[in-house]
Amino acid sequence: MCSPGVHELSVTSEIKTRVQKEFVISSSTVSLSTVEHRGETRKSVKQMTMQVEVIILALSFALCGTFPWHQTPSGQEAPPRADPCPSADLIAPCECWEEEELPGVASLMCEEVDGAHALDTVFLQDFPNPNLMSLTVARSNLGHLPQDIFHGKTFQSVRLTGGGVSSLAPAALDNSRETLTQFFVNDNQLTNFSLQDLHLFPHVNALYLSNNQLLSIDALVGMPEQATLSAFFVSQNYLTSLHPDVFKSVPGIGSLRLDNNRLTHLSPRLFYPLYQLQVLTLYDNTILQLGTGDLWFSTPILRSLDLRNNGPGLLWEADVFRGVGFDTKVDLANNRFHKLEYDVFGPVLKNVSTFFGFVNFVGNYLTCDCSVLWLVMDEALQRRAYSATCKNFTYVDDLDRDAMMAECATGPMVRGNGDGGDSEDNDL
């Protein structure tokens, strides 16, 4: 009924006229019968007029499938919105599409791009809307990305995962400073990354640099604060050390992945600035010793601390852990340490035993002498000490408590007791 022409508009006008006449008659009747309440009558007429407009809009949509403002004066529907993508043959080997939830906004997916010059050619094309939602480049060999590679285009998300990127000009994404929220450059060949410029991108909440060849992330030291970064992944690189102040400029990190590097040590209070930290992975490094303060946390929501496969023979000092919460899962598997001293592990086990946390000791074969008596005497702590196993493959919770107490009565008592308090060395 709403094909191009004047007939349909006249039908709508006729309906409007009839409805208005009905309401005029009704309003006149009301006004004649209630002269003494003219103020109320005028209010009623105004409400009726608004109802007329609502009815007209509903009829327009029901009859024409559109609203009056979507039609041209001749009754023609407005022309379709322009495609936000260039012609497909101009942007090969990339594919462009319009975001369903953001009409007029494009996203781009590129695969098997042979060199940065090919990507440069794509972004030389005229995009009707230069503000793209996302760019993904995979299975490619981009090499060095120069400063003007994107020719003024902006992005909210950039994924260069497996893009063969060897280096990235510091200003390559400058046009996206106010729009970029996610930047994934993992699985490339980067040896350096301009972390010192991260504060120029105030909305970036995820930065993935895993599986590159980075030697350091110390460029973060002294950078103005960027509190939005929540996920920072730097696993599978060549990091050997971390500056004591490296995380002070990015205090909002919630998930930090440092696994599969070459770290040999940590620094006291290294992670303390991260007040929203929930997940920390340090597994598959070569950490040989953890000292007082190395694993102190200010976050009240730490859920996972993964320290598997370090060592060999990881050594511990007293008061390594602070801030490990009631629900934290602490994984110490396969670090090949043998001493289970109360000053190191007693406080953390007591914390996690109050809720659903635990400490995983699998693969660490312990010397089960009087130094483990504090754990043998406390069944609640034993339940949170997963796979605590002696060198003879006996589980600590299977040790004979009375026999150990009798044996240890003739020698020095282990520091600390089943209640978690410290005590002087003396006989049981």
Side-chain angles (χ1 to χ4, degrees), residues 22-34 41 45 48:
E22 293 295 330
F23 278 101
V24 167
I25 293 170
S26 299
S27 61
S28 300
T29 303
V30 172
S31 62
L32 289 172
S33 61
T34 57
T41 301
V45 171
M48 292 176 183

Side-chain angles (χ1 to χ4, degrees), residues 64-80:
C64 306
T66 184
F67 292 109
W69 55 77
H70 288 165
Q71 295 182 333
T72 63
S74 64
Q76 300 281 351
E77 289 193 4

Side-chain angles (χ1 to χ4, degrees), residues 89-372:
D89 60 320
L90 297 177
I91 59 172
C94 300
E95 295 182 3
C96 181
W97 66 92
E98 183 178 24
E99 291 288 336
E100 291 185 5
E101 297 182 359
L102 291 171
V105 179
S107 286
L108 208 62
M109 171 71 180
C110 310
E111 292 186 321
E112 299 181 357
V113 182
D114 188 15
H117 64 280
L119 197 62
D120 182 87
T121 301
V122 170
F123 285 104
L124 273 172
Q125 307 307 315
D126 180 26
F127 283 72
N129 182 356
N131 304 309
L132 283 72
M133 169 62 75
S134 67
L135 166 66
T136 301
V137 181
R139 296 190 298 154
S140 297
N141 185 27
L142 293 176
H144 172 70
L145 297 185
Q147 177 174 335
D148 59 349
I149 182 73
F150 300 120
H151 295 282
K153 312 301 186 295
T154 70
F155 311 95
Q156 295 184 38
S157 174
V158 175
R159 298 172 179 265
L160 304 179
T161 302
V165 181
S166 60
S167 58
L168 182 69
L173 286 167
D174 271 6
N175 286 318
S176 298
R177 285 185 178 184
E178 293 300 322
T179 60
L180 193 65
T181 60
Q182 298 178 330
F183 192 22
F184 304 101
V185 211
N186 44 305
D187 303 322
N188 286 284
Q189 294 93 45
L190 292 174
T191 58
N192 188 37
F193 187 82
S194 301
L195 285 169
Q196 68 274 9
D197 296 330
L198 182 59
H199 70 284
L200 300 175
F201 297 82
H203 307 295
V204 168
N205 57 55
L207 178 58
Y208 289 14
L209 296 171
S210 296
N211 197 19
N212 279 286
Q213 301 171 21
L214 300 178
L215 300 174
S216 174
I217 59 172
D218 289 350
L220 289 171
V221 177
M223 182 191 77
E225 183 175 296
Q226 203 277 26
T228 307
L229 186 64
S230 176
F232 187 34
F233 290 8
V234 209
S235 56
Q236 292 180 280
N237 279 283
Y238 299 151
L239 309 182
T240 58
S241 63
L242 299 169
H243 190 281
D245 297 329
V246 69
F247 298 119
K248 286 186 176 180
S249 59
V250 282
I253 292 177
S255 181
L256 177 60
R257 295 201 58 164
L258 296 165
D259 54 272
N260 285 281
N261 278 285
R262 300 176 180 180
L263 298 172
T264 59
H265 65 281
L266 303 176
S267 300
R269 301 175 69 93
L270 175 65
F271 304 110
Y272 205 78
L274 305 179
Y275 63 93
Q276 296 190 73
L277 189 63
Q278 297 186 49
V279 177
L280 173 61
T281 65
L282 288 161
Y283 62 85
D284 286 319
N285 279 282
T286 55
I287 299 172
L288 300 176
Q289 182 170 349
L290 288 170
T292 300
D294 284 356
L295 295 173
W296 286 11
F297 303 100
S298 62
T299 173
I301 52 176
L302 185 66
R303 294 186 292 106
S304 176
L305 171 59
D306 197 336
L307 276 159
R308 292 171 291 149
N309 304 328
N310 280 277
L314 181 60
L315 300 176
W316 305 82
E317 293 182 3
D319 201 14
V320 171
F321 299 96
R322 280 194 191 178
V324 174
F326 304 147
D327 199 31
T328 307
K329 281 69 175 175
V330 182
D331 199 338
L332 306 178
N334 301 318
N335 283 303
R336 290 173 284 177
F337 60 86
H338 305 299
K339 288 289 186 180
L340 199 65
E341 297 173 338
Y342 175 81
D343 287 347
V344 178
F345 301 107
V348 67
L349 274 172
K350 188 168 185 179
N351 262 16
V352 299
S353 69
T354 60
F355 206 56
F356 296 117
F358 62 81
V359 181
N360 182 19
F361 291 103
V362 69
N364 302 292
Y365 296 103
L366 307 172
T367 300
C368 290
D369 55 13
C370 294
S371 65
V372 301

